[in-house]
Amino acid sequence: MSLATILLTLPVVALLAQPLWAPSWGAGILGEVTAFGVPGAVAALALFFGLVALYCRKLQHLQERVRPDARARSPRSVWLMFAIPFNFVEDFRIIADLGGSLRRDGRLSGSVIRSWKVVGTAWCILQIASLLPGTVGLTSGLLAVAAWAWHWGHTALLGRRLTAPTTA
C-alpha cells in the first residue's frame, strides 16, 4: 500500500469517526447499520461482505483473463477491497489499474474500457460520499449500490468477452 493511499485515507477515517467529533450531525453510517438492531446489523454486514467477496472474485477473474504482460497488478491484489479503511482509497487504484491492464491487453475497445472505468470511479466516489451524514450520505449510498451493481455486471460481461472464442 502506498504512502498516498495511507494519507488519503485520513479524511475517510475522519468521516467514519464523524459521530464522535460532530454527534449533532447524526450517527453516520454506523448508526444506519445499527438501526436494524444487533442481529439485523450482523446479517446486513455479513450479506454486504459476502457480496464484496463475490465482486472481488469477478474482478480477479477479469484480471486473470488479461495477458500477464499487460497486467498493472496481481489478480489477487483486488482483495485489498477488504483492507478497511484503506479500501475506500485503494478501490480507485484497483479500478484504474484494471482499466489500464485492459487497455494494454488490447482486446476490448477503448470506449468499452472507458465506460467501465467511469462507472467504477463513480461508485468509488459515491461510496466515500455515502459516509457523509444525512440525506446526502443516504442518497450517495443508494447511488453507490446501483453503480456498483452495474459495474459488477459489466465486469462479468468483459470477463466473458475475454474468454469467448474469436471468430474470423
Side-chain angles (χ1 to χ4, degrees), residues 1 16 20-21 37-38 47 62 77 85 90 97 100 106 136 150 154 160 166:
M1 200 163 305
L16 288 168
L20 299 174
W21 55 266
V38 174
L47 175 65
L62 180 62
S77 71
E90 187 64 23
D97 287 349
V136 171
W150 187 93
H154 199 194
R160 284 192 301 274
T166 56

Side-chain angles (χ1 to χ4, degrees), residues 15-168:
L15 284 173
L16 288 168
Q18 167 268 309
L20 299 174
W21 55 266
S24 63
W25 293 359
I29 189 79
L30 296 178
E32 293 163 14
V33 171
T34 58
F36 299 117
V38 174
V42 169
L45 289 172
L47 175 65
F48 175 74
F49 286 119
L51 291 172
V52 171
L54 292 172
Y55 175 67
C56 284
R57 188 70 184 125
K58 211 42 95 172
L59 289 173
Q60 182 178 357
H61 281 160
L62 180 62
Q63 183 71 335
E64 287 169 347
R65 285 167 174 76
V66 170
R67 291 187 339 269
D69 64 310
R71 294 178 188 160
R73 63 187 310 136
S74 158
R76 291 189 320 220
S77 71
V78 301
W79 293 91
L80 286 171
M81 288 190 173
F82 278 98
I84 298 167
F86 303 102
N87 65 309
F88 287 92
V89 175
E90 187 64 23
D91 290 351
F92 285 95
R93 304 236 4 230
I94 291 169
I95 297 303
D97 287 349
L98 290 179
S101 296
L102 291 169
R103 184 181 44 72
R104 282 188 298 284
D105 183 77
R107 290 182 284 161
L108 298 170
S109 74
S111 62
V112 167
I113 296 166
R114 268 189 304 283
S115 69
W116 182 87
K117 282 179 67 175
V118 165
V119 174
T121 302
W123 80 253
C124 290
I125 292 167
L126 289 164
Q127 78 172 339
I128 290 176
S130 76
L131 301 176
L132 295 168
T135 305
V136 171
L138 285 171
T139 303
S140 297
L142 291 172
L143 292 172
V145 169
W148 181 43
W150 187 93
H151 194 259
W152 188 348
H154 199 194
T155 298
L157 175 67
L158 297 184
R160 284 192 301 274
R161 282 188 187 174
L162 291 178
T163 58
T166 56
T167 56

